[in-house]
């Protein structure tokens, strides 16, 4: 279980995805993008727009149940990407590297890029924007919701300890 949390806002995610796209420009053009679902879908859409790439394929790998990591299971293969030649793999985060390693075996000739990388998974990605400590759980905007918190002055007296 994580010992700390880092919250990524929609604005931050968009900035990081555009930064990654800018760094990917010299490596292209790409035949297509393979988004690792579900976390890679939104970064892949932003990056596809910035790189003017129309072909977006997906690979679906299940490894997490809430915050517990389990065995990796492929539930949808990226058929259109072949061996990955000319393709770009996009994910939101490389953590332990279990998913990245599995996808890299399927697409050995693809370039692998993600927004965020933890030290254990970092060697499996070709490019990333921000390194995150291994013990940090990253909360993405699709995993969170704004929550109203009343001002301290409006709390009842029992909660002002």
């Amino acid at each position: 279980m994580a010992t700390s949390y880092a919250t990524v806002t929609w604005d931050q995610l968009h900035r990081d995805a555009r930064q990654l796209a800018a760094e990917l420009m010299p490596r292209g053009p790409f035949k297509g993008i393979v988004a690792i679902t579900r976390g890679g879908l939104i970064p892949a859409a932003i990056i596809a727009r910035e790189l003017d790439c129309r072909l977006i394929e997906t690979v679906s790998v299940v490894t997490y149940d809430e915050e517990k990591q389990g065995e990796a299971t492929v539930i949808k293969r990226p058929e259109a990407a072949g061996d990955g030649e000319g393709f770009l793999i996009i994910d939101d985060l490389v953590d332990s590297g279990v998913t990245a390693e599995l996808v890299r075996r399927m697409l050995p000739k693809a370039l692998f890029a993600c927004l965020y990388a933890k030290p254990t998974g970092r060697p499996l990605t070709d490019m990333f924007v921000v390194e995150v400590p291994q013990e940090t759980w990253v909360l993405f905007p699709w995993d969170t919701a704004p929550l109203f918190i009343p001002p301290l002055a409006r709390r009842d007296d029992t909660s002002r300890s």
Side-chain angles (χ1 to χ4, degrees):
M1 182 166 235
T3 58
S4 66
Y5 293 87
T7 301
V8 177
T9 65
W10 285 111
D11 287 345
Q12 186 64 50
L13 183 105
H14 196 259
R15 275 191 303 273
D16 291 342
R18 289 193 76 219
Q19 180 180 335
L20 183 57
E23 293 172 13
L24 287 163
M25 286 284 296
R27 307 285 292 267
F30 297 98
K31 291 181 188 174
I33 291 174
V34 176
I36 299 178
T37 68
R38 292 174 308 210
L41 288 169
I42 292 169
I46 296 166
I47 290 166
R49 178 193 182 273
E50 297 302 328
L51 299 181
D52 197 26
C53 183
R54 298 287 180 160
L55 176 59
I56 302 176
E57 172 65 286
T58 60
V59 59
S60 299
V61 180
V62 178
T63 56
Y64 283 96
D65 178 19
E66 297 302 319
E67 292 183 25
K68 295 187 310 196
Q69 189 165 14
E71 190 172 318
T73 305
V74 177
I75 57 175
K76 192 238 175 234
R77 297 179 96 58
E79 301 299 336
D83 63 2
E85 186 169 358
F87 275 78
L88 171 62
I89 302 165
I90 296 291
D91 205 356
D92 56 352
L93 168 75
V94 63
D95 189 334
S96 67
V98 170
T99 299
E101 190 172 21
L102 183 63
V103 173
R104 276 195 167 287
R105 279 196 309 258
M106 284 189 273
L107 305 168
K109 295 183 178 179
L111 181 73
F112 192 108
C114 58
L115 300 182
Y116 311 106
K118 291 187 178 182
T120 303
R122 183 178 175 182
L124 293 162
T125 185
D126 297 307
M127 300 176 82
F128 66 94
V129 179
V130 177
E131 186 164 353
V132 179
Q134 195 68 43
E135 65 280 357
T136 299
W137 186 262
V138 180
L139 297 171
F140 289 97
W142 49 83
D143 293 327
T144 61
L147 177 65
F148 175 77
I149 299 174
L152 293 174
R154 292 190 193 161
R155 290 190 190 175
D156 63 18
D157 288 317
T158 59
S159 63
R160 289 189 200 167
S161 312

